[in-house]
Amino acid sequence: MTVHRMMTPPSRTLARCYDLTVLGEVGSTSDEAKRLAATGAPHGAVVWAKRQTGGRGRYGRQWDSPEGNLHVSLLLRPEANAATATQLSFVAATAVHKTLSAILSDALVQGEVSSKDVNITLKWPNDILLNGKKIGGILLESATHADGKLDWLVLGIGVNIAHFPDDCPFPATSLDAVGVKGISAKIVLSRLLHHFAVDYGIWEHDGFAPARAQWLHHAAYLGKEISSNLENEEISGVFEGLDADGALLLARKDGTTRRITSGEVFGK
Ligand code: BTN
């Protein structure tokens, strides 16, 4: 007799933990999620706000957060070392990719967008691009116990749905700008939470390799010449890939490979 063992789908685990707080307006959903973390809120707390008055991006940049866009932060408490925290921003980026790709495919079928306007790529480390312009970003913040294990991690995710800023240092866009009309932040959020729960379960079960492979499959500038702003220098080379921790590997003209763990990259 053959016994088929039914494994609980990994997606169940985090999806069952989601505890959603919905706010009309807040300074920053990530600050609110961090405040919840300090009061002992559990793994899976989610803070969603219609508007943010003090939305933050990387490098302390302002993140424009008008109503109609998605602003959400997830509080996670993985049993993992702090060093693995960055892996989860790649997991989140692949979940955003799946969410937006499906929405754009639907819009393509409906005739709302043209096939040249549906190219979602991922730019190292945490940017989501639509046709080469920034449509979303991820802000990762974490706290660690004395033994090096993560206490909490907050993934703040912003997606430009109805609006995009026209005064930022990089070109930006939104779903609305390419013709996707009438998709609400609520729909984008529910699809994103679903994809993230599935991908998080795979990360817990199989480690970083699946997310890393998916991320690379959609990576902007892979195999191309890029430059990167490090603290005291700007270096350039060919974007070769990601290492096992998510660091960017840059092949230099002198034959060496440089491992970059933080900073911004630019296509040439
Ligand atoms: C970036 O690309 O610089 C990251 C942007 C992250 C923005 C999101 S919106 C929800 C959450 N709350 C914040 O204040 N920031 C993140």
Side-chain angles (χ1 to χ4, degrees):
M1 187 175 74
T2 312
V3 178
H4 293 283
R5 262 182 231 288
M6 289 294 290
M7 299 263 294
T8 308
S11 59
R12 287 284 181 79
T13 323
L14 179 60
R16 267 204 305 255
C17 298
Y18 282 145
D19 181 9
L20 178 65
T21 300
V22 184
L23 302 169
E25 183 174 287
V26 73
S28 157
T29 54
S30 286
D31 289 345
E32 187 58 20
K34 284 159 69 176
R35 197 189 60 73
L36 289 177
T39 64
H43 179 68
V46 177
V47 181
W48 170 40
K50 309 266 168 65
R51 294 176 301 281
Q52 296 185 121
T53 52
R56 296 182 286 108
R58 294 174 71 225
Y59 303 110
R61 288 182 187 138
Q62 173 188 322
W63 183 263
D64 280 10
S65 308
E67 187 152 355
N69 288 353
L70 176 64
H71 328 103
V72 63
S73 297
L74 282 77
L75 168 63
L76 303 170
R77 295 187 185 273
E79 283 179 22
N81 289 324
T84 59
T86 49
Q87 297 178 1
L88 286 169
S89 65
F90 291 92
V91 174
T94 60
V96 176
H97 186 282
K98 287 172 193 167
T99 302
L100 297 183
S101 295
I103 289 168
L104 286 160
S105 297
D106 287 350
L108 185 63
V109 171
Q110 298 296 332
E112 290 179 348
V113 298
S114 88
S115 56
K116 67 171 180 35
D117 278 336
V118 295
N119 186 28
I120 296 275
T121 53
L122 301 172
K123 177 170 168 281
W124 190 89
N126 296 137
D127 288 351
I128 294 93
L129 307 181
L130 172 57
N131 309 319
K133 298 177 181 173
K134 184 155 170 170
I135 189 169
I138 296 166
L139 182 68
L140 172 76
E141 295 169 286
S142 62
T144 307
H145 291 295
D147 64 359
K149 296 267 186 219
L150 278 170
D151 177 1
W152 54 259
L153 179 150
V154 169
L155 280 171
I157 304 173
V159 179
N160 299 335
I161 300 171
H163 313 279
F164 67 90
D166 53 13
D167 57 352
C168 48
F170 41 78
T173 191
S174 66
L175 286 175
D176 180 88
V178 295
V180 180
K181 302 294 172 194
I183 186 114
S184 66
K186 194 178 191 172
I187 294 283
V188 178
L189 174 64
S190 76
R191 293 186 183 188
L192 174 61
L193 290 180
H194 163 74
H195 286 298
F196 184 74
V198 174
D199 289 351
Y200 184 87
I202 293 169
W203 175 81
E204 272 188 313
H205 196 258
D206 299 331
F208 184 42
R212 179 177 169 276
Q214 285 181 29
W215 191 95
L216 281 170
H217 190 63
H218 302 294
Y221 312 127
L222 187 63
K224 305 237 164 71
E225 181 89 5
I226 56 169
S227 62
S228 176
N229 280 342
L230 302 184
E231 223 162 85
N232 299 316
E233 58 175 331
E234 180 175 324
I235 60 168
S236 50
V238 173
F239 177 15
E240 253 189 345
L242 296 182
D243 77 0
D245 297 320
L248 182 145
L249 299 174
L250 194 67
R252 315 232 33 226
K253 278 213 173 79
D254 61 8
T256 60
T257 297
R258 188 84 171 254
R259 185 175 172 271
I260 299 175
T261 53
S262 67
E264 286 191 288
V265 299
F266 306 91
K268 289 203 141 189

